[in-house]
Amino acid sequence: AKSIEIGYRTTLFDRLYLDANYYYSEYTDFIGYKIGVKFNAEEDLSQNTYLIYPTSIQAYRIAANATNTVTTQGASIGLNYFLNPSFTINGNFTWNKLNEEGTEDPIIPAYNTPEYKYNIGLVGRDLNFSKNSNLLKNFGFSVNYKWVEGFQYEGSPQFTGFVPTYSLVDAQISKELPKLKSTIKVGAANLLDNKHYEVY
């Protein structure tokens, strides 16, 4: 494998943090697989007809190397915008692509990666809901929305199919305990209980 990556990080306007990168990878003898089928059959020559009846069928998934050079490319960009010392809006977007144009190689690459996905979130830290009560001091929270584009998942012959587009919401609240030098966190992944598939 050979890979090249370029990236750039900077802070703009003293509030916006930017992190962006692009990569291009090239693989020799990329490992994928091929599908084969073995079957036994019986012939029937009765009544002046010629028929073949399969008596057993066995499918095989065989690891194989690509005959062509396989290339992939992708990019990502992440942004953090600091509204004030307590609140931050963040987001990121990624793109990944397996380049298959112009190849006649029958290998199944099993790349199993969505082409597009993104996250958007809001983070609060060191919140103080009451000036008169220590009970409501030092709270924090985070809420994140994730979107993943549907993609073709290639596993063994019986486990190959399309994974539909899905989205999730994750959330967490936290409470700092300075005297104990500790933080208590309570969170939930997939807070809205969106039933979905991530593999086929």
Side-chain angles (χ1 to χ4, degrees):
K2 298 177 182 178
S3 184
I4 184 171
E5 181 176 352
I6 57 174
Y8 182 71
R9 296 175 181 173
T10 188
T11 301
L12 303 172
F13 317 114
D14 294 328
R15 286 180 177 267
L16 179 64
Y17 176 74
L18 168 69
D19 185 355
N21 67 73
Y22 168 83
Y23 75 88
Y24 181 88
S25 298
E26 184 178 282
Y27 300 88
T28 303
D29 296 328
F30 185 88
I31 299 174
Y33 66 90
K34 296 180 181 180
I35 300 297
V37 176
K38 177 183 178 182
F39 70 93
N40 296 316
E42 294 181 354
E43 299 177 355
D44 184 356
L45 301 177
S46 63
Q47 301 177 356
N48 297 321
T49 60
Y50 182 73
L51 301 174
I52 297 178
Y53 296 98
T55 57
S56 65
I57 298 176
Q58 176 65 56
Y60 292 91
R61 177 180 184 268
I62 303 169
N65 296 101
T67 57
N68 299 85
T69 299
V70 174
T71 62
T72 63
Q73 61 178 329
S76 68
I77 183 170
L79 298 169
N80 289 345
Y81 184 73
F82 298 90
L83 297 170
N84 57 43
S86 295
F87 294 98
T88 305
I89 298 175
N90 55 60
N92 60 66
F93 173 84
T94 61
W95 168 66
N96 294 284
K97 181 71 173 176
L98 175 68
N99 304 319
E100 296 183 286
E101 292 79 5
T103 178
E104 297 180 356
D105 193 334
I107 193 172
I108 300 172
Y111 191 53
N112 297 341
T113 302
E115 184 170 359
Y116 300 105
K117 58 183 178 179
Y118 68 83
N119 291 272
I120 299 174
L122 175 65
V123 178
R125 61 177 61 86
D126 298 327
L127 304 179
N128 186 1
F129 296 101
S130 173
K131 295 182 179 180
N132 300 320
S133 173
N134 290 330
L135 180 64
L136 297 177
K137 287 184 178 180
N138 302 318
F139 270 92
F141 73 90
S142 66
V143 179
N144 187 73
Y145 173 81
K146 176 193 295 183
W147 181 89
V148 179
E149 183 186 38
F151 62 98
Q152 183 72 10
Y153 186 91
E154 297 170 327
S156 55
Q158 67 270 39
F159 299 123
T160 292
F162 190 74
V163 175
T165 298
Y166 63 91
S167 57
L168 305 172
V169 175
D170 302 332
Q172 176 183 280
I173 58 174
S174 62
K175 166 68 173 176
E176 291 187 17
L177 305 173
K179 292 183 178 180
L180 299 178
K181 298 181 180 179
S182 303
T183 302
I184 298 174
K185 296 181 179 181
V186 178
N190 193 10
L191 183 65
L192 302 181
D193 196 27
N194 177 23
K195 304 296 185 182
H196 67 285
Y197 297 102
E198 297 186 11
V199 299
Y200 188 84

